[in-house]
Amino acid sequence: MNNYLPLIINAALNAGSEILNVYRSEISVEWKADLSPLTEADRRAHSIIETALLTTGIPVLSEEGEAIAFSDRNDWERFWMVDPLDGTRQFISRSGDFTVNIALIEGGRPVLGVIYAPLRGTLYYGSEGTGSFKLEGIRPGMPLDWPVITGSARQLPFRNGRRSYSIVAGQYFSGPETEAFIELKRKQYGKVETTSVGSSLKICLVAEGSADVYPRLAPTMEWDTAAGHAIAKFAGCRVYDHATNAELSYNKENLRNPWFIVERPDFAAAVAS
């Protein structure tokens, strides 16, 4: 799997470069049938990533690709799951919290993931057997090779000395269920800090230890979470169904996720240590 990391990191960086080209121009928006926004940046990023990934001989399932019937993908043991531009609303509003997400799924579980935030110059990646890492100051067009990446990246999670329980939530779709979840944590831990960011960066904050939990009690799709799931999982976090407590799975007939939680190990034990 790690042989694929240089390929998909370069694909993410190249997609990020095209996304920034559109970001710095006038952004025109179309609306898909599900009323989610679509821009030229989504299309360009998808084309770059798909072209790179197809060289592996592994099928690609992308938010912006052609719809693939469940009967055709049901037998896939391994495939790429891609969100070429996660956080399109943040992209349109120019808030900066948008990412490129690429994951490798095996047996319905993510085994490798890369998330790149091009405006921030931040790259997260994680894989089974290796762990998860964060690399900062990485810009599209920089000459990068694998030794440079592995030598500069910091392994997740970080020790940050926080003494308060931290919850990260989305900039959109936060409803009464999320507020009730936050109130429950206040009763459990006392002082609670809350942070709001966009896109898959929420999952990354839990993975790196800047937050303890991300409750997503609102709709998402599998491509929204697959890469972040891998990074969080291999940084020691759980990504699980809010109702059943089971780990999220991928390549379901309906690609919509259930409500889910991304959570670091027990906060009280971490503070005590």
Side-chain angles (χ1 to χ4, degrees):
M1 288 181 299
N2 289 334
N3 292 334
Y4 292 129
L5 273 171
L7 172 72
I8 64 174
I9 286 173
N10 280 320
L13 293 178
N14 291 335
S17 178
E18 280 302 304
I19 288 169
L20 290 182
N21 287 339
V22 177
Y23 185 79
R24 292 169 179 145
S25 63
E26 183 177 350
I27 300 174
S28 60
V29 182
E30 300 174 23
W31 298 92
K32 294 185 283 189
D34 63 358
L35 301 182
S36 60
L38 175 68
T39 70
E40 181 62 20
D42 296 85
R43 293 193 181 93
R44 292 187 192 180
H46 163 76
S47 178
I48 288 169
I49 295 168
E50 183 180 54
T51 298
L53 296 184
L54 287 177
T55 65
T56 66
I58 299 172
V60 177
L61 183 60
S62 170
E63 178 180 12
E64 307 309 341
E66 295 293 329
I68 301 174
F70 182 64
S71 59
D72 293 327
R73 57 182 170 83
N74 184 38
D75 293 330
W76 289 356
E77 180 58 27
R78 169 189 274 197
F79 69 97
W80 297 106
M81 174 76 78
V82 178
D83 191 344
L85 176 52
D86 183 35
T88 302
R89 287 179 171 83
Q90 288 85 359
F91 174 82
I92 293 166
S93 66
R94 291 185 165 87
S95 75
D97 289 342
F98 51 86
T99 59
V100 178
N101 300 352
I102 305 173
L104 180 62
I105 308 296
E106 288 188 352
R109 297 284 186 265
V111 294
L112 183 155
V114 166
I115 290 178
Y116 179 49
L119 200 62
R120 294 178 177 227
T122 301
L123 175 79
Y124 294 88
Y125 65 92
S127 65
E128 189 173 39
T130 301
S132 295
F133 299 83
K134 180 180 182 181
L135 185 63
E136 298 182 90
I138 182 169
R139 301 292 179 184
M142 290 178 62
L144 292 174
D145 56 32
W146 192 235
V148 170
I149 290 171
T150 56
S152 303
R154 299 170 62 197
Q155 187 160 13
L156 309 181
F158 308 142
R159 294 185 64 86
N160 52 38
R162 286 188 298 101
R163 309 299 293 182
S164 299
Y165 192 82
S166 177
I167 301 172
V168 61
Q171 295 175 322
Y172 303 102
F173 309 115
S174 182
E177 295 86 359
T178 302
E179 293 303 319
F181 181 93
I182 294 171
E183 185 57 32
L184 181 65
K185 294 301 182 182
R186 286 197 181 101
K187 292 178 181 177
Q188 185 175 357
Y189 293 113
K191 183 180 179 181
V192 167
E193 299 175 355
T194 59
T195 304
S196 178
V197 297
S199 72
S200 56
L201 290 171
K202 296 182 286 294
I203 302 178
C204 294
L205 290 184
V206 182
E208 70 178 36
S210 296
D212 295 290
V213 69
Y214 163 41
R216 180 64 183 201
L217 310 182
T220 57
M221 302 298 289
E222 290 186 10
W223 43 71
D224 295 317
T225 59
H229 185 159
I231 293 163
K233 180 176 182 177
F234 302 125
C237 303
R238 294 187 63 224
V239 182
Y240 60 92
D241 186 315
H242 175 258
T244 68
N245 207 38
E247 183 179 3
L248 288 193
S249 62
Y250 295 84
N251 203 23
K252 304 185 298 295
E253 182 171 6
N254 184 338
L255 294 169
R256 186 180 298 273
N257 286 322
W259 289 2
F260 65 89
I261 307 291
V262 183
E263 191 169 32
R264 291 216 59 82
D266 184 67
F267 171 76
V271 169
S273 65

